[in-house]
């Protein structure tokens, strides 16, 4: 076995989790192909606009119809293959990812993350659960260990959470989110990114977030740097239950502080300095909304300051619980007659999660937002670390400091600020390639701050919240 330096070994551990369960091994040498022969990267707007343009409603329509046609994709349904049940759906998903991998010159690596769950609540007998995963390895040495995850769940259910036999077409919940992940993977695999992208279609969501929990807890155990995660769950319909239609808006659920009985010292400091709206998840949500506004201007990302809707949960939650920044996309208006319902007519009303209630153009817009945000994240530098606000004496200016970013192409830093009552940034100052800056006239007592890294191509990072700096004793 050849010698590998610790950093290469760490990288290999990370990659092996991503492709673990089917015995695929990636040659590390194959990961490092630069985007161009001289190592130069195209302008970020060119790449982002290309992936956005590549996603079509026709493509989403085909994917949602194919998924719904498996009859049921319940986690307890037929796993053996054929044309009906979760096994058939899984084989098809794999073949779709593999087709896109061929179009990418084989850079998109398809794998399965398989394990046995149960017996437990909603899994009465031990059941094999399989996440189908496609990984696009990052190509910048300094950022390929930084991972962004996008997910949708391909399992479905009807009125009975344990019914693995009856019809459960799951067109909106969550063929729509699965189609977003597939379409995004195929569009992005044609391009090159610095950080690693993980496109994840998971099972067991309806049985208790089982597939996502498995992957997220393994990632935490192995110390993977998951710098951001989005789940897409119920992103298919533009029609509200009163019949009104809104095609131009998606909700993005973004937790502030975790509802834990005990708070870490870091969370206590966040609250103590008025930063309860500046958790890493909220900073990620601000970034996504800003990228969407620039690159998918006809479509609004409506950030909701809440972990999830009442009585509902999703696959971002295991990532939040593992300590990662994680968000949930869900359509603006839900019609609960079309979710978790047996397909039936009742009182002249059609119940069931049927293809006819999905609006492919709407879902394509959600996919474009995902692709734009993921591209901006994976092209850009890491968020600055150890960002601090000096609080050594009483003064009316603000001095910030941070660790220099390890990305060699970082060209400088941008300080964003806003009033404490404002939801989004109101101003920005480019402060050059420094690790400490004083901002005269901006009182740390009156504003909230965030520091972003900016690279020479103009890619910017997510903002980091400054914690109080106390002089070393
Ligand atoms: Zn769902």
């Amino acid at each position: 076995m050849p010698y590998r330096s610790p950093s290469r070994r760490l990288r290999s551990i990370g990659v092996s989790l991503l492709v673990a369960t089917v015995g695929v091994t990636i040659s590390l040498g194959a990961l490092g192909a630069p985007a161009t022969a001289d190592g130069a990267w195209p302008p970020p707007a060119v790449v982002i606009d290309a992936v956005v343009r590549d996603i079509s409603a026709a493509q989403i329509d085909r994917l949602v119809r194919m998924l719904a046609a498996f009859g049921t994709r319940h986690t307890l349904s037929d796993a053996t293959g054929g044309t009906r049940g979760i096994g058939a759906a899984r084989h098809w998903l794999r073949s779709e990812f593999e087709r896109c991998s061929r179009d990418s010159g084989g850079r998109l690596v398809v794998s399965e993350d398989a394990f046995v769950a149960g017996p437990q609540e909603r899994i009465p007998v031990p059941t094999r659960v399989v996440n189908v995963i496609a990984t696009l390895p990052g190509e910048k040495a300094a950022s390929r260990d930084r991972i962004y995850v996008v997910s949708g769940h391909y399992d479905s259910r009807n009125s009975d959470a344990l019914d693995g036999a009856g019809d459960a077409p799951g067109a909106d919940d969550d063929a729509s989110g699965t189609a977003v992940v597939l379409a995004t993977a195929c569009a992005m695999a044609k391009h090159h990114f610095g950080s690693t992208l993980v496109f994840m279609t998971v099972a067991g969501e309806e049985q208790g977030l089982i597939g996502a929990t498995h992957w997220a807890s393994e990632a935490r155990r192995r110390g993977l740097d998951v710098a951001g995660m989005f789940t897409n769950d119920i992103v298919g319909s533009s029609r509200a239950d009163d019949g009104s239609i809104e095609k131009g808006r998606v909700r993005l659920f973004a937790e502030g502080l975790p509802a834990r009985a005990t708070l870490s010292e870091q969370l206590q400091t966040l609250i103590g300095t008025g930063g309860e709206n500046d958790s890493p998840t909220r900073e990620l949500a601000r970034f996504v909304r800003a990228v969407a506004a620039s690159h998918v201007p006809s479509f609004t990302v409506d950030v909701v300051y809440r972990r999830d809707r009442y009585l509902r949960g999703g696959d971002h939650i295991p990532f939040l619980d593992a300590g990662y920044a994680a968000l949930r996309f869900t359509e603006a208006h839900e019609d609960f007659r079309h979710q978790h319902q047996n397909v039936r007519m009742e009182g002249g009303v059609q119940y069931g999660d049927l293809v006819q209630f999905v609006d492919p153009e709407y879902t394509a817009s959600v996919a474009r937002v995902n692709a734009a945000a993921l591209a901006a994240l994976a092209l850009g530098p890491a968020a600055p670390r150890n960002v601090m606000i000096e609080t050594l004496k009483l003064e009316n200016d603000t001095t910030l400091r941070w660790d220099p970013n390890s990305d060699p192409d970082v060209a400088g830093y941008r300080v964003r600020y806003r009033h404490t009552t404002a939801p989004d940034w109101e101003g920005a100052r480019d402060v050059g390639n420094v690790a400490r800056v004083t901002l005269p006239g901006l009182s740390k007592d009156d504003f909230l701050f965030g520091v972003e890294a900016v690279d020479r191509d103009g890619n910017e990072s997510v903002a980091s919240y400054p914690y109080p700096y106390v002089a070393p004793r």
Side-chain angles (χ1 to χ4, degrees), residues 153 173 205-206 233:
H153 70 86
D173 187 10
E205 196 273 350
E206 303 291 9
D233 197 351

Side-chain angles (χ1 to χ4, degrees), residues 64-397:
V64 170
R65 286 178 190 281
M66 287 297 295
L67 283 159
F70 292 106
T72 176
R73 305 183 307 278
H74 195 282
T75 299
L76 304 175
S77 66
D78 184 359
T80 56
T83 56
R84 183 181 174 88
I86 194 163
R90 172 165 60 85
H91 291 308
W92 175 80
L93 276 172
R94 200 179 158 111
S95 70
E96 285 292 309
F97 275 132
E98 283 168 348
R99 192 170 51 76
C100 295
S101 179
R102 284 192 292 279
D103 293 347
S104 77
R107 288 180 301 122
L108 187 68
V109 180
V110 185
S111 66
E112 294 186 353
D113 171 30
F115 59 98
V116 174
Q120 64 196 66
E121 193 187 359
R122 294 195 180 183
I123 304 268
V125 294
T127 301
R128 192 161 173 267
V129 176
V130 185
N131 301 323
V132 184
I133 291 168
T135 302
L136 189 64
E139 297 180 29
K140 284 184 183 174
S143 47
R144 62 165 61 113
D145 290 341
R146 183 155 41 94
I147 299 166
Y148 297 98
V149 177
V150 60
S151 86
H153 70 86
Y154 72 93
D155 65 311
S156 66
R157 61 164 288 185
N158 57 30
S159 302
D160 177 358
L162 294 177
D163 179 5
D167 280 350
D172 195 357
D173 187 10
D174 184 31
S176 65
T178 304
V180 164
V181 173
L182 283 167
T184 303
C186 295
M188 296 187 76
K190 296 170 187 163
H191 300 270
H192 297 260
F193 298 93
S195 304
T196 293
L197 290 155
V198 175
F199 304 94
M200 190 180 294
T201 56
V202 306
E205 196 273 350
E206 303 291 9
Q207 311 313 112
L209 315 178
I210 289 168
T213 299
H214 183 261
W215 199 94
S217 54
E218 271 295 285
R220 172 49 67 201
R221 193 176 68 75
R222 299 194 182 209
L224 297 191
D225 179 14
V226 178
M229 184 271 182
F230 320 143
T231 194
N232 290 270
D233 197 351
I234 310 177
V235 291
S237 176
S238 56
R239 182 187 293 266
D241 56 6
D242 65 2
S244 62
I245 290 178
E246 185 174 12
K247 284 179 173 285
R249 187 166 71 90
V250 67
R251 291 179 291 171
L252 183 61
F253 287 86
E255 179 179 76
L257 302 169
R260 296 203 187 107
T262 55
L263 290 173
S264 67
E265 197 175 322
Q266 192 181 36
L267 282 173
Q268 289 181 44
T269 305
L270 192 70
I271 298 167
T273 55
E276 62 269 15
N277 193 12
D278 289 67
S279 64
T281 293
R282 291 270 166 89
E283 301 288 25
L284 181 63
R286 280 187 191 99
F287 183 95
V288 171
R289 178 167 54 185
V291 172
S294 294
H295 295 278
V296 196
S298 60
F299 199 67
T300 302
V301 173
D302 200 357
V303 177
V304 181
Y305 287 159
R306 183 165 280 152
R307 168 180 272 218
D308 209 325
R309 302 102 72 235
Y310 284 102
L311 303 177
R312 288 289 168 92
D315 286 328
H316 60 314
I317 290 176
F319 283 82
L320 288 167
D321 290 345
Y324 296 125
L327 301 162
R328 174 188 182 128
F329 285 104
T330 295
E331 63 202 28
H333 305 280
E334 292 174 84
D335 187 333
F336 298 107
R337 295 170 297 189
H338 303 154
Q339 301 172 12
H340 301 191
Q341 294 284 351
N342 287 341
V343 177
R344 65 191 190 278
M345 287 295 290
E346 197 173 290
V349 175
Q350 177 71 61
Y351 286 79
D353 194 350
L354 298 166
V355 165
Q356 68 205 60
F357 302 122
V358 168
D359 175 348
E361 183 50 51
Y362 178 84
T363 308
S365 295
V366 178
R368 290 177 189 119
V369 166
N370 274 261
L374 288 165
L377 288 166
L379 288 168
R385 293 183 191 269
N386 284 324
V387 179
M388 291 183 281
I389 191 163
E390 291 190 3
T391 57
L392 302 170
K393 60 176 191 280
L394 294 168
E395 59 186 338
N396 290 314
D397 295 335

